[in-house]
Amino acid sequence: MASSGVTVAFFNFQYHDCLIETAYSAAQRKFLFAFVDHNIGFTCSLNGENASAFINHRAAVDQLMKCRNHHSYDPKHFYELLNEHLPYAKFSKISLTEYKRTAQKAVSNFEDRIFFNHWRNSNMTDKQRDKTIELMGHEVLRFCRENHLIPVFYPYPTERTLAAFEDFRDDHQQFGLQQ
């Protein structure tokens, strides 16, 4: 990715019987996974070199079991296959349309507003904390706490949505608190 100048990669990953569309932000070290032909998916962040094994979207966990024709969920199995696939993945720079399609499936629906729009100077509620972790990752949560910010989400993506997925710090530096 780095040698190609791609900061947000888009690729497909075959997990047993399911094709999974994947968006990955190098800056946020975050994956968005969406099952093709199903309206579900999930996110995960990288901690060091390892993917977070917790998936808080129950429908996605169930779908992973169905893809594998297995009656128990093993996140290590999914992540090991993903890791084996990454050196051979044919990726491209993601477009706003691809990002929107993947993101709409890759998050659990605690409300319709799932696309980052701007920053607000405010205290963060528990619900906002959980949503920030799911949609943007733990690194963004730390950034928000350090800067007394919350991300504000809208029901539709903008060019800024994708730019913030590429580099949330740059977005904040460029735009600050303005909408």
Side-chain angles (χ1 to χ4, degrees):
M1 278 179 58
S3 63
S4 302
V6 174
T7 55
V8 177
F10 181 74
F11 61 92
N12 289 329
F13 167 55
Q14 187 72 41
Y15 181 67
H16 295 282
D17 294 340
C18 296
L19 185 62
I20 299 175
E21 290 179 337
T22 307
Y24 174 72
S25 168
Q28 287 189 29
R29 300 174 52 83
K30 181 154 189 81
F31 286 95
L32 297 174
F33 298 106
F35 294 91
V36 174
D37 296 330
H38 302 343
N39 196 26
I40 54 177
F42 60 100
T43 65
C44 82
S45 299
L46 292 181
N47 296 322
E49 295 297 315
N50 299 314
S52 167
F54 180 73
I55 300 172
N56 63 350
H57 192 340
R58 185 68 208 162
V61 172
D62 291 341
Q63 186 59 44
L64 285 170
M65 288 187 298
K66 290 175 187 170
C67 293
R68 190 173 171 211
N69 293 317
H70 209 265
H71 297 293
S72 65
Y73 173 62
D74 180 2
K76 186 176 177 187
H77 181 265
F78 173 78
Y79 291 127
E80 284 175 348
L81 287 180
L82 175 65
N83 191 48
E84 289 172 13
H85 175 75
L86 288 176
Y88 309 104
K90 293 185 181 190
F91 63 87
S92 60
K93 185 166 179 62
I94 193 168
S95 70
L96 185 60
T97 303
E98 290 166 328
Y99 173 77
K100 179 180 178 181
R101 186 179 63 239
T102 303
Q104 283 177 321
K105 297 178 204 173
V107 294
S108 60
N109 229 358
F110 23 129
E111 54 187 83
D112 293 328
R113 295 173 179 234
I114 62 171
F115 299 103
F116 171 81
N117 188 272
H118 63 278
W119 305 101
R120 180 178 296 146
N121 190 355
S122 177
N123 291 325
M124 189 175 285
T125 67
D126 290 344
K127 185 177 179 182
Q128 289 167 328
R129 180 200 65 223
D130 293 344
K131 188 170 189 172
T132 299
I133 291 168
E134 184 171 4
L135 297 176
M136 298 184 83
H138 289 278
E139 187 179 359
V140 175
L141 178 64
R142 282 190 297 277
F143 175 79
C144 288
R145 287 181 173 159
E146 291 166 2
N147 294 286
H148 194 257
L149 299 171
I150 61 167
V152 177
F153 299 97
Y154 276 26
Y156 52 87
T158 64
E159 288 294 332
R160 188 169 170 189
T161 304
L162 186 53
F165 187 59
E166 289 186 49
D167 190 342
F168 65 92
R169 284 188 177 93
D170 183 56
D171 178 83
H172 182 260
Q173 187 176 15
Q174 236 182 344
F175 297 105
L177 298 176
Q178 74 182 19
Q179 289 188 18

